[in-house]
Amino acid sequence: MENIDLINTLNDEQRAPVLQTEGAVLVTAGAGSGKTRVLTHRIAYLIQNGVHPYNILAITFTNKAASEMKERVERITYDCQDMWVCTFHSMCVRILRQFADKLGYTKSFSIYGEQEKESIIKQILASQNLDEELKKTMAYHISNAKNQNLSPAQYAQAFAYLHEIESIVKVYAMYQEELKKNNAFDFDDLLIKTLELLQTNAEAREKYQERFHYIHIDEFQDTNRVQYEIAKILCQKYGNIMVVGDEDQCIYGWRGANIQNIFDFKEDFRDVKVYKLEQNYRCTKNIIDVANRVIKNNAQRLDKVLYTQNPTGEPIELFVGYNDVQEAGFVARRIGELIKQGFNYKDIAVLMRYNAMSRSIEEGLLHANIPYKVLGGMKFYERAEIKNVLAYLKLIVNNLDNESLLRIINFPKRGIGSSSINQLRALADAQNMSIFNYLKAFGDTLSTSLKNKVLPFRDLMIDLIDKQNMMPLLDFVKEVILRARIKEAYLEKDTAEDESRIANIDSLLASVDNYAKIYPEDSLSEYLQAITLLSDADERDESQDSVVIATVHAVKGLEFRAVFVVGLEDENFPILRENSENDIEEERRLFYVAVTRAKERLFLSRCDSRFKYGSVRRFMPSRFLDELRGMGNIKFVSFNLGYNLDRQPSLGSNNRYESHAIQDDAYTNYALNADANNTQSNIGQNSFSFESLSKSSDGFVVGAQVEHPRFGIGTIIDTSKLQSMNVIIIDFEDVGIKNLTFDVSPLTLL
């Protein structure tokens, strides 16, 4: 392909940063503006102009994005096998595999995820007789310290005002010692240990500074300070670095992402060239208008305004309901209508601020026979049966890994109880050895009883360790599962759950087979590394035709033809924390990200009340909805349920919403009764009934006044059938909204 052809496929905004190959370049790229296209074309342009792929580094947000970027470059240049296209964590693992010994680790180190992290913290708290309540915040504090590259002593000084700071830094220090003993890094360590290596070891620093002539970083707004420092070191020799990001999509502040990196980049590099990508290729004009209207209220941003040449599109719908059951009904009905219009289920996403809000939506879709998948739920590689297999494999690769050994030493059951394990741990600690290495060296000296239990396990592992490089990867993993009798452990009870676990183990074998075909030269260690670094987005199965239910965080980088953003109430979206303006700005960015996931249709919804923290509570409308006040391209959809019929949504007196009040009580219960293949089946008739009640329902209708001996006088505002119980929802004058079971509640009609 000629260079002129490559460049002419870009618009003027995109072309400029591609041609600016030398020096420091900052591209601020609005949602859907083609930033991935800019990155891939710039890399291809460099290669076509004589830069060897070996000298190019591209850092992306997910492994999936890295794979797609490499494929796109290969389609253009046919030559990028030696180029590193990877996430920050993957890059750091590669560097540490080469130089971990310079930091006092072996190159066969393990990588610990959140489960292993929590397990170690729990053990430390128990050993120090510290309150286990500390466990809830300890993982956060450790990660917070590492994201800022603070040692325990530095963290103690910086956060001296915190209650229990002494206990926090004590556990932090002991946690780090335990990782070192296990020859393991957690995810934060992969970054800070790489930074430490590059800062202290000239050989490693010079090797990678010389290798990477051109550095590209995608999603720069989501980098933390440690990642930014690594990038600055790597580009010191040649100075050619392009970062692409959107400060309006910085939504990971809670895990260390530092929006300030974008602004600091302009100060830290000389003669920075700044380019804006403002043309959106994804969304309709109506969706872009909503995104622009809200995000302009943030102060921490560079000045840019999205625009699009796409059609105006359908109006945005705003639904206001009395409760989350109605909200689920609205979502279910609209999804049914979209399917009739030619959408696939997988084209549709229901997005919310936090996972707990999914319950009512899931119930609504279940009752409407709408297939769905919760993104970011239980991950495949975090299932117990999969973790058990992986623990065997990790111990084979890293004999110092106590966490993996403790997981499997009594799986399948070998009669090795907690007292035996504690004895082994104490003996190993006394010799300053890992438990497995202690068993290898001194296992024959143990008491007869303990020896009979642990030596078969030790001998099995020694044999498997010896064989790991003598067999193809798939055959070896099968051998481990067979020799350890893992499947047999799930055959004893013969339950449906155990059958599912065996099926999951077979799925794991399929993943090993697939990996081995793509990377036939890779070792067991490299396979374990690859699956450990998978993210939520990497694990999404797009082959399933299912509606996606997810938090906004979980769909970063994804797009859908239709998006529902639910739960738009203050306290729910945005979540309010100490009235911090920085927090509100990040919440607003979350809303912006949610809106711009939609390509064609956008639905917004809120409720007057929803079930939260064990009771039904009332909520004020989201302030982000107030910021949409006066927009003429939003259609207001509500229910006419018998009271407050004259009100408009709480967005101010000057709104110009088109009111489409639905004159149908049955719509309330749509989530419980609708057939996804016949979305109009219940409209126009009252589908809710008290047929199964043991007492008469005469008079107990929406709008009727009732009296309860404890709660006083109230007004019936809704009736819904939840979990096979007849529930009546009443707004009491003194205590607010209550969900009551009709059969047993002592209600009197007034």
Side-chain angles (χ1 to χ4, degrees):
M1 180 182 289
E2 297 293 329
N3 291 344
I4 188 66
D5 294 332
L6 173 66
I7 296 303
N8 282 344
T9 61
L10 305 172
N11 66 29
D12 291 342
E13 288 180 352
Q14 296 168 335
R15 187 178 301 117
V18 169
L19 296 175
Q20 183 64 51
T21 59
E22 306 303 304
V25 178
L26 169 63
V27 181
T28 174
S33 60
K35 65 180 178 59
T36 304
R37 186 178 182 83
V38 168
L39 283 166
T40 54
H41 278 61
R42 188 178 198 262
I43 293 168
Y45 182 76
L46 288 170
I47 294 172
Q48 290 183 343
N49 282 272
V51 178
H52 196 285
Y54 179 86
N55 298 124
I56 299 173
L57 170 66
I59 298 174
T60 65
F61 191 68
T62 66
N63 293 290
K64 181 180 178 182
S67 177
E68 290 175 350
M69 180 180 292
K70 196 164 187 176
E71 288 174 4
R72 289 170 71 167
V73 174
E74 284 177 338
R75 284 199 296 268
I76 299 172
T77 67
Y78 308 104
D79 180 22
C80 64
Q81 290 302 311
D82 295 328
M83 183 174 65
W84 279 19
V85 185
C86 52
T87 66
F88 257 110
H89 288 90
S90 295
M91 178 191 73
C92 290
V93 170
R94 287 191 184 189
I95 293 173
L96 291 171
R97 291 289 180 206
Q98 294 296 314
F99 290 97
D101 56 322
K102 306 298 183 184
L103 298 172
Y105 295 77
T106 76
K107 296 178 182 180
S108 60
F109 57 82
S110 295
I111 303 172
Y112 282 176
E114 290 304 309
Q115 288 187 12
E116 291 89 350
K117 185 176 186 177
E118 290 180 6
S119 175
I120 294 174
I121 291 171
K122 185 176 180 180
Q123 291 170 22
I124 293 171
L125 292 174
S127 70
Q128 299 300 305
N129 294 317
L130 292 171
D131 190 348
E132 194 168 326
E133 284 296 307
L134 193 60
K135 185 178 71 171
K136 296 178 181 178
T137 59
M138 198 60 239
Y140 162 78
H141 284 297
I142 291 174
S143 190
N144 189 41
K146 292 184 179 184
N147 283 329
Q148 299 177 63
N149 199 19
L150 299 177
S151 68
Q154 291 169 327
Y155 197 71
Q157 185 175 0
F159 293 87
Y161 59 87
L162 286 176
H163 180 57
E164 295 183 320
I165 186 62
E166 291 184 7
S167 296
I168 289 169
V169 296
K170 180 179 182 180
V171 174
Y172 175 19
M174 294 180 69
Y175 172 79
Q176 288 303 104
E177 291 172 5
E178 190 67 22
L179 287 184
K180 182 70 179 294
K181 187 192 302 183
N182 289 359
N183 190 38
F185 298 118
D186 65 16
F187 275 74
D188 295 319
D189 274 336
L190 295 176
L191 301 176
I192 64 172
K193 292 299 182 182
T194 300
L195 177 58
E196 178 186 338
L197 174 73
L198 294 174
Q199 289 173 331
T200 61
N201 187 273
E203 180 187 359
R205 181 173 60 251
E206 291 168 6
K207 174 177 180 175
Y208 293 107
Q209 285 179 344
E210 175 56 40
R211 172 167 184 166
F212 299 129
H213 296 196
Y214 293 89
I215 295 173
H216 307 76
I217 303 176
D218 193 8
E219 305 287 4
F220 188 64
Q221 77 281 349
D222 292 326
T223 55
N224 62 27
R225 202 66 198 177
V226 176
Q227 291 166 325
Y228 184 33
E229 293 299 325
I230 291 172
K232 286 199 292 185
I233 290 175
L234 291 176
C235 75
Q236 276 177 2
K237 182 167 186 176
Y238 291 97
N240 300 319
I241 180 170
M242 182 174 89
V243 299
V244 181
D246 182 7
E247 71 285 354
D248 292 335
Q249 296 186 71
C250 182
I251 61 173
Y252 295 104
W254 52 276
R255 71 179 188 195
N258 191 344
I259 192 173
Q260 190 61 37
N261 288 348
I262 284 183
F263 303 101
D264 288 348
F265 186 86
K266 297 169 66 176
E267 305 299 325
D268 293 341
F269 292 88
R270 287 188 297 175
D271 301 322
V272 176
K273 302 295 189 297
V274 180
Y275 300 93
K276 297 180 183 179
L277 302 183
E278 297 176 291
Q279 182 175 355
N280 175 282
Y281 289 91
R282 177 188 300 154
C283 312
T284 64
K285 286 186 173 70
N286 280 335
I287 294 170
I288 291 300
D289 287 347
V290 169
N292 282 332
R293 173 68 75 95
V294 172
I295 201 62
K296 73 177 183 180
N297 294 289
N298 269 8
Q300 278 190 299
R301 64 189 301 263
L302 301 174
D303 182 33
K304 66 177 182 295
V305 179
L306 286 182
Y307 69 93
T308 185
Q309 295 178 0
N310 291 339
T312 300
E314 296 289 330
I316 281 70
E317 288 192 18
L318 169 63
F319 167 73
V320 180
Y322 293 139
N323 56 36
D324 48 359
V325 178
Q326 285 188 355
E327 181 178 58
F330 166 74
V331 171
R333 180 182 180 184
R334 284 294 186 261
I335 289 175
E337 292 171 350
L338 290 172
I339 297 303
K340 281 190 169 184
Q341 294 166 19
F343 284 67
N344 295 314
Y345 289 116
K346 65 183 179 181
D347 296 330
I348 304 167
V350 185
L351 306 183
M352 57 207 62
R353 178 59 182 86
Y354 52 89
N355 283 312
M357 297 186 74
S358 73
R359 179 195 57 80
S360 58
I361 299 296
E362 289 187 62
E363 289 178 357
L365 300 192
L366 275 172
H367 285 285
N369 297 316
I370 293 174
Y372 69 87
K373 176 179 177 62
V374 180
L375 196 62
M378 171 63 80
K379 299 178 189 176
F380 177 78
Y381 291 103
E382 290 182 356
R383 297 179 185 276
E385 60 274 17
I386 302 303
K387 296 282 282 185
N388 289 337
V389 177
L390 296 180
Y392 274 95
L393 301 179
K394 288 180 179 180
L395 184 59
I396 288 168
V397 170
N398 176 16
N399 303 165
L400 302 179
D401 190 343
N402 277 348
E403 283 302 302
S404 292
L405 178 138
L406 292 172
R407 184 178 187 93
I408 59 174
I409 193 170
N410 197 40
F411 177 84
K413 291 183 178 179
R414 301 179 176 92
I416 305 173
S418 57
S419 61
S420 297
I421 290 172
N422 290 338
Q423 182 182 348
L424 287 174
R425 187 197 292 273
L427 290 169
D429 286 346
Q431 297 292 331
N432 197 26
M433 301 173 73
S434 72
I435 297 175
F436 185 72
N437 283 346
Y438 178 84
L439 289 177
K440 285 199 297 183
F442 301 106
D444 293 319
T445 67
L446 295 171
S447 67
T448 302
S449 174
L450 187 55
K451 186 162 54 177
N452 290 339
K453 295 175 183 178
V454 300
L455 290 196
F457 169 75
R458 179 201 68 175
D459 295 342
L460 167 66
M461 296 307 298
I462 289 174
D463 190 48
L464 290 172
I465 289 167
D466 290 341
K467 288 184 176 179
Q468 65 174 308
N469 296 317
M470 299 168 57
M471 306 168 67
L473 180 59
L474 177 61
D475 291 343
F476 179 70
V477 177
K478 286 181 177 179
E479 177 80 358
V480 171
I481 292 170
L482 177 66
R483 296 279 303 281
R485 304 175 70 177
I486 293 174
K487 283 189 176 181
E488 290 180 36
Y490 297 121
L491 289 172
E492 295 176 359
K493 298 178 183 177
D494 195 26
T495 64
E497 185 178 5
D498 286 333
E499 288 178 9
S500 175
R501 286 170 173 161
I502 292 172
N504 286 335
I505 292 172
D506 288 336
S507 295
L508 176 66
L509 290 171
S511 86
V512 175
D513 185 31
N514 185 58
Y515 182 88
K517 288 175 180 175
I518 299 173
Y519 307 103
E521 303 301 319
D522 277 10
S523 65
L524 174 60
S525 175
E526 288 165 313
Y527 167 72
L528 291 173
Q529 171 184 309
I531 62 174
T532 302
L533 295 174
L534 286 175
S535 68
D536 288 352
D538 295 321
E539 293 195 53
R540 184 189 173 201
D541 183 1
E542 297 184 17
S543 66
Q544 294 184 3
D545 190 20
S546 303
V547 172
V548 169
I549 299 177
T551 65
V552 183
H553 286 107
V555 295
K556 180 71 162 55
L558 303 180
E559 59 184 40
F560 303 87
R561 289 182 65 190
V563 167
F564 294 79
V565 186
V566 301
L568 286 167
E569 304 100 26
D570 269 4
E571 295 186 50
N572 293 322
F573 200 165
I575 293 176
L576 304 180
R577 300 184 185 89
E578 301 177 8
N579 203 28
S580 164
E581 189 55 38
N582 286 339
D583 288 339
I584 289 298
E585 291 213 352
E586 179 149 337
E587 293 289 317
R588 189 176 283 112
R589 292 193 291 269
L590 268 170
F591 181 72
Y592 173 85
V593 168
V595 166
T596 54
R597 298 312 92 197
K599 297 168 69 175
E600 301 172 33
R601 299 298 306 274
L602 176 63
F603 304 87
L604 310 175
S605 71
R606 74 165 179 86
C607 304
D608 284 345
S609 64
R610 68 174 62 246
F611 194 84
K612 187 176 182 181
Y613 301 140
S615 64
V616 175
R617 294 180 53 206
R618 281 179 168 172
F619 293 95
M620 294 295 292
S622 170
R623 62 195 63 196
F624 304 149
L625 293 179
D626 284 335
E627 291 169 4
L628 299 178
R629 181 187 304 145
M631 295 191 70
N633 59 353
I634 297 181
K635 181 170 66 174
F636 170 51
V637 181
S638 68
F639 289 117
N640 180 355
L641 291 176
Y643 84 117
N644 285 348
L645 298 182
D646 59 340
R647 71 177 179 178
Q648 285 282 2
S650 303
L651 300 174
S653 58
N654 297 321
N655 72 75
R656 299 199 303 270
Y657 286 84
E658 180 183 357
S659 179
H660 288 252
I662 298 173
Q663 308 293 322
D664 183 18
D665 292 355
Y667 198 45
T668 304
N669 298 287
Y670 186 81
L672 307 179
N673 297 285
D675 179 350
N677 297 316
N678 182 15
T679 60
Q680 301 296 324
S681 62
N682 292 317
I683 304 305
Q685 55 182 308
N686 189 349
S687 60
F688 178 76
S689 71
F690 287 91
E691 291 176 355
S692 64
L693 298 187
S694 58
K695 67 179 180 181
S696 172
S697 63
D698 293 345
F700 289 90
V701 295
V702 171
Q705 279 200 319
V706 296
E707 185 173 12
H708 188 282
R710 179 180 173 190
F711 303 133
I713 295 174
T715 302
I716 298 174
I717 62 172
D718 195 10
T719 52
S720 304
K721 201 167 189 175
L722 300 175
Q723 298 176 352
S724 302
M725 294 189 301
N726 290 294
V727 173
I728 189 166
I729 302 178
I730 302 171
D731 187 357
F732 289 100
E733 294 173 359
D734 295 328
V735 297
I737 296 173
K738 295 287 184 182
N739 283 3
L740 301 178
T741 304
F742 182 79
D743 282 319
V744 299
S745 295
L747 295 169
T748 304
L749 276 170
L750 298 180

